[in-house]
């Protein structure tokens, strides 16, 4: 047996890195592909969850960040910057520590989950809360990296997309071929772009015989691709995907069109229902944005867009611990008991 070595070492020959480059890695990737029992029952399909919350910083961003930081270090950068709804900043902060770099992050004020802010803080990032949304933060970050000696590590950095495509490789390596459908939440649209690239490369080079249809889901209050125009004031409880003008918009449309897929919207209510279903019926705790993929799958099934018997993979992008407010909200307060077995048994309904 050997330990998983991280996405660069595992897939080096398929990544755009100079030979001999030393990876900056936390051994990201190699995440579980979990059969989803209830979702399979509900849809009549063979549904699997790609659990990206199992990455070192708790989200899929680590796959791209190992590449972006490795490349930045190779080029001699001493500082990196990103705009983020939270997960990119948490990942950048951790990998910058490994690389001995300064990390600056720009986040929308008051709109990032506490767990993600805690990560950026504990890893020692320089954090600015911007009086604007994610799109404003990205504009600022791009401007700063143009003018000052600081490398931009958002997914507009091509190395991020390169790293993130490894998730498709893992799915094919585990299932033996590409699924019929791959479902993802869509925010800045980098991940759907990356998965589509990974699937195409594997189909072109042999490990897969085909590519899946790509299904992307945005939150209905932040659904610019579905509406066909930028959203000025995006709003959703899924703060990770509260984005009104995605950087990889055109690539996402290309993934949709070339794969015969779709990009649609789900409401916050649907997202929360899927969030609870994943936790209560599949045992998988994700953050709200991640549940958008499963909410979308259920919506598509109800609309008759799924053929029974198909193999489906849903990526759940981030760990539920990032944003525990939604787990606690509305749940009953656990009862208080004395140190007494009879009292405990009674309250548990055992007596
Ligand atoms: N799910 C989670 C948990 C995310 O953090 C993000 C994006 C997405 C889905 C959407 O992925 O942007 O590639 O379409 N989070 C970014 C961030 C924007 O700053 O952490 P995408």
């Amino acid at each position: 047996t050997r330990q998983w070595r991280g996405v660069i070492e595992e897939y080096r020959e398929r990544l755009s890195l100079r030979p001999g480059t030393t990876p900056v890695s936390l051994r990201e990737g190699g995440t579980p592909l979990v059969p989803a029992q209830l979702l399979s029952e509900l849809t009549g399909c063979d549904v699997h969850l790609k659990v990206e919350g199992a990455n070192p910083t708790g989200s899929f961003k680590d796959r791209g960040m190992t590449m972006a930081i490795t490349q930045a270090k190779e080029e001699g950068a001493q500082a990196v910057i990103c705009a983020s709804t939270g997960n990119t900043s948490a990942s950048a902060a951790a990998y910058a520590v490994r690389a001995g770099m300064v990390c600056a992050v720009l986040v929308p004020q008051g709109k990032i989950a506490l767990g993600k802010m805690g990560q950026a803080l504990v890893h020692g990032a320089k954090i600015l809360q911007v009086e604007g949304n994610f799109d404003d933060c990205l504009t600022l970050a791009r401007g700063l990296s143009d003018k000052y000696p600081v490398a931009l590590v958002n997914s507009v950095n091509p190395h991020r997309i390169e790293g993130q495509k490894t998730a498709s490789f893992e799915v094919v390596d585990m299932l033996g071929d590409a699924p019929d459908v791959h479902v993802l939440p869509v925010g800045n649209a980098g991940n759907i772009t990356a998965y589509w690239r990974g699937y195409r490369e594997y189909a072109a080079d042999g490990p897969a015989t085909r590519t899946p249809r790509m299904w992307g889901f945005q939150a209905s209050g932040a659904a610019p691709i579905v509406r066909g125009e930028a959203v000025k004031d995006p709003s959703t409880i899924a703060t990770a995907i509260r984005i009104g003008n995605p950087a990889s918009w055109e690539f996402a449309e290309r993934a949709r069109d070339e794969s015969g897929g779709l990009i649609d919207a789900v409401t916050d209510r649907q997202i929360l229902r899927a969030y609870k279903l994943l936790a209560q019926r599949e045992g998988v705790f994700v953050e709200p944005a991640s549940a958008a993929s499963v909410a979308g799958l259920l919506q598509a099934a109800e609309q008759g867009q799924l053929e029974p018997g198909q193999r489906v993979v849903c990526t759940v992008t981030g760990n539920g611990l990032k944003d525990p407010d939604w787990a606690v909200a509305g749940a009953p307060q656990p009862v208080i008991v004395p140190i007494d077995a009879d009292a405990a048994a009674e309250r548990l309904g055992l007596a």
Side-chain angles (χ1 to χ4, degrees), residues 60-61 84-88 185-191 240-241 243 287 289 317:
F60 71 96
K61 304 289 180 180
S84 183
T85 55
N87 281 321
T88 298
V186 171
N188 212 26
N191 213 25
I241 53 172
I243 293 174
E287 62 170 289
T317 44

Side-chain angles (χ1 to χ4, degrees), residues 16 21 47 61 66 69 80 87 92 97 103 177 181 203 244 259 263 269 280-282 286 292 300 314 321:
S16 59
T21 304
V47 182
K61 304 289 180 180
T66 183
I69 300 282
V80 294
N87 281 321
V97 166
C103 177
D177 205 342
V181 180
S259 74
I263 296 180
R269 196 182 292 266
Q280 296 175 354
R281 304 295 299 274
E282 300 286 1
V286 304
C314 283
L321 295 170

Side-chain angles (χ1 to χ4, degrees), residues 130-292:
V130 176
E131 294 171 325
N133 59 36
F134 169 84
D135 307 289
D136 302 314
C137 293
L138 185 54
T139 303
L140 260 184
R142 287 174 126 144
L144 288 166
S145 73
D146 283 345
K147 270 207 190 129
Y148 300 94
V150 56
L152 186 64
V153 295
N154 279 105
S155 57
V156 294
N157 175 328
H159 302 289
R160 281 277 312 280
I161 304 293
E162 267 295 283
Q164 285 173 210
K165 77 182 180 186
T166 59
S168 298
F169 298 163
E170 289 177 20
V171 169
V172 174
D173 289 345
M174 290 187 204
L175 295 179
D177 205 342
D180 296 292
V181 180
H182 194 114
V183 194
L184 289 155
V186 171
N188 212 26
N191 213 25
I192 192 169
T193 301
Y195 270 80
W196 180 233
R197 184 193 292 179
Y199 278 125
R200 268 179 317 160
E201 288 182 9
Y202 248 27
D205 298 347
T209 67
R210 56 186 185 150
T211 53
R213 284 185 285 152
M214 302 300 298
W215 287 6
F217 290 93
Q218 304 193 292
S220 57
I225 301 176
V226 180
R227 297 190 194 297
E229 60 181 0
V231 175
K232 270 227 164 58
D233 192 10
S235 107
T236 168
I237 57 127
T239 53
I241 53 172
R242 184 174 165 270
I243 293 174
N245 190 10
S248 297
W249 186 325
E250 284 168 38
F251 297 114
E253 289 187 336
R254 223 180 281 171
R256 175 194 66 196
D257 298 340
E258 291 175 2
S259 74
L262 58 85
I263 296 180
D264 207 344
V266 287
T267 64
D268 282 0
R269 196 182 292 266
Q270 287 174 289
I271 289 173
L272 280 177
R273 205 186 305 142
Y275 169 84
K276 286 188 186 147
L277 180 150
L278 282 168
Q280 296 175 354
R281 304 295 299 274
E282 300 286 1
V284 177
F285 184 26
V286 304
E287 62 170 289
S290 306

